[in-house]
Amino acid sequence: MTREVVGIAMNGVTGRMGYRQHLLRSILAIREQGGLALPDGRTVWPEPILVGRNAEKIEALAARHGLDKWTTSLDEALADPSVTVYFDAQVTQARVPALTKAIEAGKHIYTEKPTAETLEEAVRLARIADAAGIKHGVVQDKLFLPGLLKLKRLVDSGFFGRILSVRGEFGYWVFEGDWQPAQRPSWNYRSEDGGGIILDMFPHWRYVLDHVIAPVRSVYAEARTDIPTRWDERGREYKATADDAAYAIFELEGGIVASLNSSWTTRVNREELVEFQIDGTHGSAVAGLRTCKAQHRAATPKPVWNPDIPATEDFLAQWQEVPDNAVLDNGFKVQWEMFLAHLVADAPYSHDLWAGARGVQLAELGTQSWREGRKIAVPELDRTGK
């Protein structure tokens, strides 16, 4: 058995997402299982090199997990001949310069989203990566969550008949930071630092709608800054300049209407922090991160509107759980394994920097729609640069 060692410079792993999902539950989990076994008998062994600005934090993190290599210098990491892949989980504003350096150094790219703050920057990254002949991938984790995998299975099986509409609810209350610490970084609420829920969430909605249901053809959005004053990690008051709630209607190919609400100023009254409902002529389904429930037209009850008497039906009990039917692993880990298989064995892979650019495109057009108060078409991206 041949072991293929892949050195990965991981930048931003002292952050919440970079550490928990990418280092701990993906790369280290792959190592704990003995590496990634390929169909041809080879095993891919990821070798992380941790990159961060705070030497004390990054050294402590490396020691905690028995890792030998770490640095506070991105240039040093990119100059290391053992590094094959550069991974970025930094704040959005720092991403474009770092990805550009890595591409120019000839490293393959795997990165969190959004890939950039503007479509122009996102497209430029995709083009220079193509020109450099490197392989590149963008995290699109929700596609690999158990709930959405089950929802996609229902779509592919024809369960819904003709799909009519999609409804999505995402969000929770993020504390202002004065009387309770905020559970998200303060930069998320400053537009000058790359914050805003449209830029954060619309790239997610783009790949979910495109891949699970149908391609997005237009967007109409409204957004708000509901909490104008917040307190940062050091307890300092600051002005929130970024949108913290957004409400959008997307038209999908085939005339499907998708209505998605995104908010950090809502309190949760649903089973999961995000839920999607698809309604079709033959059936409906509701999916969260892990669960999916369905109701076929033959099993659909016949509700009757009567506001004069208490409701006697348990509507939630009328849905059937969609079974796993497989071992469903961590979504971030699954996509890391797909990218590593693409890197080493040239396995098919479509979640590249162009997919990332499409997400940024929807965020940019959503913001434009909000500012101008109108519906905006979503065109195909020009890959040629002409």
Side-chain angles (χ1 to χ4, degrees):
M1 181 177 68
T2 304
R3 173 182 279 193
E4 300 282 348
V5 177
V6 176
I8 306 172
M10 303 188 72
N11 198 356
V13 290
T14 55
R16 177 177 56 92
M17 188 69 71
Y19 173 66
R20 290 194 305 184
Q21 296 295 353
H22 291 288
L23 180 61
L24 186 61
R25 296 174 184 169
S26 296
I27 296 302
L28 295 182
I30 292 171
R31 287 161 63 95
E32 288 169 6
Q33 72 184 20
L36 172 64
L38 297 176
D40 62 9
R42 289 181 293 168
T43 298
V44 181
W45 182 258
E47 194 66 64
I49 295 91
L50 307 188
V51 184
R53 292 175 298 173
N54 187 309
E56 185 178 347
K57 285 184 178 180
I58 205 78
E59 182 179 18
L61 185 59
R64 185 189 314 162
H65 296 288
L67 301 175
D68 299 327
K69 301 184 74 171
W70 62 272
T71 181
T72 57
S73 169
L74 175 59
D75 291 337
E76 180 182 307
L78 296 178
D80 187 336
S82 72
V83 170
T84 304
V85 175
Y86 171 72
F87 168 70
D88 194 291
Q90 299 181 97
V91 298
T92 305
Q93 278 197 330
R95 189 159 294 141
V96 170
L99 290 177
T100 301
K101 273 190 175 184
I103 292 168
E104 291 172 348
K107 307 300 182 183
H108 302 290
I109 298 297
Y110 188 62
T111 180
E112 265 291 354
K113 80 224 132 304
T115 54
E117 292 183 85
T118 68
L119 177 59
E120 182 181 3
E121 290 178 317
V123 168
R124 184 185 68 82
L125 281 175
R127 285 178 177 153
I128 65 172
D130 283 348
I134 64 164
K135 292 182 177 178
H136 42 94
V138 176
V139 178
Q140 302 195 327
D141 55 286
K142 287 178 176 54
L143 292 177
F144 308 98
L145 292 167
L148 284 179
L149 288 172
K150 297 171 192 176
L151 194 64
K152 174 64 171 169
R153 189 197 310 160
L154 292 175
V155 171
D156 291 345
S157 73
F159 169 83
F160 296 101
R162 181 168 60 89
I163 295 178
L164 306 173
S165 64
V166 183
R167 292 199 303 279
E169 289 283 345
F170 163 79
Y172 47 94
W173 188 269
V174 176
F175 285 97
E176 298 90 330
D178 50 352
W179 71 287
Q180 286 199 55
Q183 63 270 46
R184 292 185 65 88
S186 59
W187 69 265
N188 285 170
Y189 304 95
R190 294 188 293 265
S191 58
E192 61 272 22
D193 292 335
I197 202 164
I198 288 181
L199 184 57
D200 189 70
M201 295 310 303
F202 278 33
H204 285 291
W205 304 154
R206 181 68 189 268
Y207 68 72
V208 167
L209 294 171
D210 277 359
H211 287 275
V212 177
I213 303 156
V216 178
R217 296 305 183 215
S218 73
V219 56
Y220 173 78
E222 283 285 338
R224 296 288 184 271
T225 303
D226 285 330
I227 308 296
T229 302
R230 292 181 179 270
W231 285 258
D232 66 15
E233 293 78 3
R234 297 174 61 183
R236 299 173 301 187
E237 182 178 331
Y238 68 94
K239 182 180 179 181
T241 54
D243 45 295
D244 54 18
Y247 314 93
I249 296 175
F250 305 101
E251 184 177 2
L252 313 185
E253 190 173 276
I256 301 167
V257 175
S259 172
L260 274 71
N261 297 329
S262 313
S263 177
W264 289 318
T265 60
T266 185
R267 294 173 177 88
V268 182
N269 184 19
R270 53 187 180 272
E271 292 188 357
E272 300 199 51
L273 295 184
V274 62
E275 287 186 347
F276 300 92
Q277 177 165 336
I278 298 179
D279 291 308
T281 54
H282 290 178
S284 298
V286 179
L289 298 175
R290 303 201 62 81
T291 63
C292 183
K293 296 179 181 179
Q295 190 175 95
H296 192 263
R297 65 175 178 172
T300 300
K302 193 175 185 180
V304 177
W305 172 256
N306 187 346
D308 298 322
I309 60 173
T312 58
E313 294 182 84
D314 185 353
F315 295 108
L316 297 181
Q318 296 167 351
W319 295 71
Q320 181 181 2
E321 190 80 32
V322 177
D324 290 351
N325 287 354
V327 176
L328 302 176
D329 208 344
N330 177 281
F332 289 87
K333 176 172 174 281
V334 169
Q335 196 183 352
W336 261 109
E337 291 178 332
M338 290 177 63
F339 181 73
L340 290 172
H342 171 62
L343 182 70
V344 175
D346 207 27
Y349 191 82
S350 61
H351 310 294
D352 58 10
L353 284 169
W354 286 105
R358 286 192 290 273
V360 176
Q361 177 193 40
L362 190 61
E364 192 166 282
L365 293 177
T367 300
Q368 181 184 349
S369 170
W370 166 35
R371 301 298 187 194
E372 298 178 3
R374 65 185 180 93
K375 174 180 172 180
I376 295 181
V378 179
E380 294 292 330
L381 289 181
D382 176 18
R383 290 175 175 244
T384 65
K386 297 179 181 178

